[in-house]
């Protein structure tokens, strides 16, 4: 277990109202999809700035076979974005989306943590949960207090590339977790990438299992017990987590960290890279 993380990575919706009244926050709307910016312009949490998954939290690519559909942006580009959002090392950041933190909110959280930013939390239940708690909304863009580019040196959290994933797939002491929906893992459906199936040796633990029936994260105790069973005495550094393109995998990394575990490795390229690489593909029942 990692006892060094003091700030919970997950913030319950009622806490944001208390925090907002006691200290300055940078709130980030990370909703994604074809109409994400339109949705932000139509309605967002008051004071929130919008980030674009496709152009801010990943590097646009014409070749997903090398890095997947959502490769990480250049560090300097991300550092500039953080400065434009008014984020400095002491800044308390709250990030939300409309997918129970299963989409770009978790990705932005992981990226901030990976450049060394500690004061960042994901809003449990997302935008609608905050509104239900009485958080005010707005249709007006939020002007940022622009700061210099964030001081970054490297991505600091553990990552796996396609070669290390291939090696791990053949080693019993390593574990590859595929967090996509079971029908995609089995190869029964593939709505996004070119080929259906999964990485040989990977197990399926859908990210939605991190949530309760109301769409909130399970308690840390329940998540700790869940992933203790999944890991089967492996240390998190022996675990690689992936999804379709390295975005929803961050939801599971968030849940694991919320449970008190150290951070496993993220395979950023994920299925979008592996399935285009010509490497073996499995289609099996579970």
């Amino acid at each position: 277990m990692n006892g060094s993380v003091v700030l919970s990575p997950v913030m319950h919706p009622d806490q944001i109202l208390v925090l907002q009244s006691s200290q300055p926050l940078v709130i980030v709307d990370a909703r994604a999809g074809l109409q994400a910016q339109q949705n932000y312009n139509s309605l967002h949490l008051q004071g929130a700035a919008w980030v674009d998954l496709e152009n801010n939290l990943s590097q646009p690519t014409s070749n997903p076979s090398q890095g997947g559909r959502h490769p990480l942006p250049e560090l300097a580009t991300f550092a500039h974005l953080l400065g434009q959002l008014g984020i400095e090392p002491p800044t308390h950041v709250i990030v939300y989306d409309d997918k129970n933190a299963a989409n770009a909110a978790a990705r932005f959280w992981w990226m901030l943590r990976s450049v060394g930013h500690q004061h960042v939390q994901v809003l449990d239940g997302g935008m609608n949960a905050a509104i239900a708690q009485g958080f005010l909304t707005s249709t007006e863009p939020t002007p940022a207090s622009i700061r210099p580019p964030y001081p970054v040196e490297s991505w600091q959290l553990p990552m796996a590339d396609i070669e290390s994933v291939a090696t791990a797939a053949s080693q019993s002491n390593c574990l590859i977790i595929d967090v996509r929906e079971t029908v995609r893992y089995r190869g029964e459906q593939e709505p996004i990438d070119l080929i259906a199936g999964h990485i040989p040796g990977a197990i399926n633990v859908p990210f939605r299992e991190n949530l309760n029936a109301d769409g909130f994260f399970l308690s840390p105790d329940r998540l700790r017990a869940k992933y203790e069973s999944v890991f089967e005495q492996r240390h998190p550094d022996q675990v690689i987590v992936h999804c379709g393109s390295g975005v929803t995998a961050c939801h599971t990394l968030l849940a694991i960290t919320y449970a008190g575990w150290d951070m496993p490795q993220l395979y950023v390229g994920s299925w979008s890279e592996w399935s285009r690489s010509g490497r073996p593909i499995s289609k099996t029942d579970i």
Side-chain angles (χ1 to χ4, degrees):
M1 295 289 182
N2 183 353
S4 63
V5 176
V6 176
L7 187 68
S8 170
V10 174
M11 169 180 281
H12 296 289
D14 57 345
Q15 296 173 306
I16 191 172
L17 294 171
V18 175
L19 262 182
Q20 189 189 40
S21 66
S22 63
Q23 62 179 281
L25 301 173
V26 169
I27 303 173
V28 176
D29 183 317
R31 285 177 290 172
L34 294 176
Q35 296 182 312
Q37 186 164 20
Q38 178 181 334
N39 291 338
Y40 170 81
N41 292 337
S42 297
L43 192 73
H44 53 266
L45 297 186
Q46 189 175 76
W50 179 66
V51 294
D52 182 1
L53 170 63
E54 303 298 332
N55 295 292
N56 297 144
L57 307 186
S58 59
Q59 180 73 37
T61 180
S62 59
N63 187 12
S65 66
Q66 297 182 6
R69 286 184 280 107
H70 291 115
L72 291 173
E74 296 293 332
L75 269 170
T77 302
F78 187 55
H80 177 76
L81 170 70
L82 297 182
Q84 293 296 300
L85 292 170
I87 296 173
E88 299 175 299
T91 305
H92 195 145
V93 181
I94 307 298
V95 56
Y96 69 88
D97 60 29
D98 56 359
K99 298 291 188 297
N100 305 106
N103 200 268
R107 169 75 168 229
F108 188 54
W109 167 85
W110 183 93
M111 291 171 67
L112 273 174
R113 287 290 310 277
S114 196
V115 297
H117 193 85
Q118 295 297 317
H119 305 289
V120 54
Q121 295 178 286
V122 172
L123 188 60
D124 200 9
M127 176 176 171
N128 289 338
I131 294 173
Q133 286 290 328
F135 200 94
L136 298 178
T137 59
S138 176
T139 60
E140 297 298 322
T142 300
S145 300
I146 296 176
R147 299 290 188 263
Y150 194 96
V152 300
E153 296 181 1
S154 64
W155 299 111
Q156 300 174 22
L157 293 181
M159 287 186 278
D161 60 19
I162 195 168
E163 296 297 336
S164 56
V165 172
T167 299
S170 64
Q171 297 180 338
S172 60
N173 64 326
C174 296
L175 179 66
I176 301 172
I177 300 176
D178 183 333
V179 310
R180 297 174 301 158
E181 298 90 342
T182 298
V183 291
R184 294 182 68 189
Y185 171 84
R186 288 178 173 172
E188 296 169 1
Q189 297 178 16
E190 182 45 65
I192 303 173
D193 290 305
L194 302 179
I195 303 173
H198 63 266
I199 297 171
I203 67 167
N204 185 221
V205 185
F207 71 88
R208 294 192 185 280
E209 294 181 1
N210 299 320
L211 305 172
N212 64 23
D214 296 320
F216 293 94
F217 278 93
L218 300 175
S219 70
D221 286 345
R222 290 183 63 186
L223 288 168
R224 185 178 301 117
K226 172 183 175 63
Y227 285 101
E228 185 173 19
S229 175
V230 169
F231 292 168
E232 295 183 336
Q233 300 187 344
R234 296 178 182 87
H235 189 272
D237 65 10
Q238 297 171 291
V239 178
I240 298 171
V241 180
H242 83 88
C243 56
S245 65
V247 177
T248 53
C250 296
H251 186 272
T252 288
L253 295 174
L254 175 62
I256 290 169
T257 304
Y258 187 36
W261 293 97
D262 289 332
M263 188 84 72
Q265 301 173 68
L266 171 64
Y267 174 27
V268 178
S270 285
W271 183 247
S272 58
E273 179 182 50
W274 184 278
S275 62
R276 292 170 168 84
S277 69
R279 295 174 185 265
I281 289 173
S282 293
K283 295 184 182 183
T284 56
D285 292 336
I286 58 173

